Amino acid sequence: MSALAAHASGSVLGFDFGLKRIGVAVGNTILRQAQALCIIDAAQNDAKFTQIAALIKEWSPVLCVVGLPMHPDGAAHEMTARCQRFAHQLEGRFGVATTLVDERYSSAVLHAQRGERIDDQSAALILQQYFDQTS
């Protein structure tokens, strides 16, 4: 997967991938500020990718950023591989450059109340982390 070329400018979509839901955030390469966009909540992969396709069409991103979960010591676990596969699918299906961002500590920042859905806010943290690391 490729990182954003230094000269590319435009929208960037951030994803917090989960088996049940996918949080989505949006930002751009000029302001470099992420904001929560939506939560994709579909049971089937086809339905998830249909919603993602609509977002790709609407925002025409120059880059997609996917959070990469790992154990605190940096070791991979089951969701690490699933997120990597999701990132590869984004790049392959939509032809948009995709990069992974270590999300080990992003969820610790958000404190959800029981039953509260914060996947889009998590995606915004992941995307903001990307912007902050690449500035």
Side-chain angles (χ1 to χ4, degrees):
M1 277 172 280
S2 54
L4 181 60
H7 64 277
S9 63
S11 296
V12 179
L13 290 178
F15 294 90
D16 179 26
F17 176 80
L19 297 178
K20 294 181 181 178
R21 293 180 302 276
I22 301 172
V24 185
V26 66
N28 68 62
T29 56
I30 306 299
L31 297 176
R32 303 178 69 76
Q33 293 293 313
Q35 65 182 34
L37 182 60
C38 66
I39 297 173
I40 296 172
D41 192 355
Q44 303 297 321
N45 272 345
D46 288 344
K48 290 175 185 174
F49 278 104
T50 297
Q51 291 180 46
I52 292 169
L55 291 171
I56 298 281
K57 183 176 181 181
E58 178 181 354
W59 292 96
S60 300
V62 295
L63 179 70
C64 289
V65 175
V66 177
L68 184 65
M70 293 188 282
H71 288 294
D73 66 359
H77 54 72
E78 180 186 348
M79 283 305 291
T80 306
R82 288 179 184 258
C83 289
Q84 290 169 324
R85 186 169 38 249
F86 174 72
H88 285 294
Q89 288 175 321
L90 282 178
E91 193 166 63
R93 285 182 186 222
F94 304 111
V96 177
T98 305
T99 192
L100 295 160
V101 171
D102 181 350
E103 68 167 45
R104 276 183 279 183
Y105 304 107
S106 63
S107 60
V109 174
L110 296 175
H111 302 286
Q113 299 294 333
R114 185 172 179 83
E116 185 179 7
R117 294 181 174 202
I118 58 168
D119 308 84
D120 54 345
Q121 295 171 45
S122 294
L125 279 176
I126 290 164
L127 183 53
Q128 191 61 54
Q129 184 177 333
Y130 169 80
F131 286 143
D132 293 347
Q133 290 173 351
T134 60
S135 56

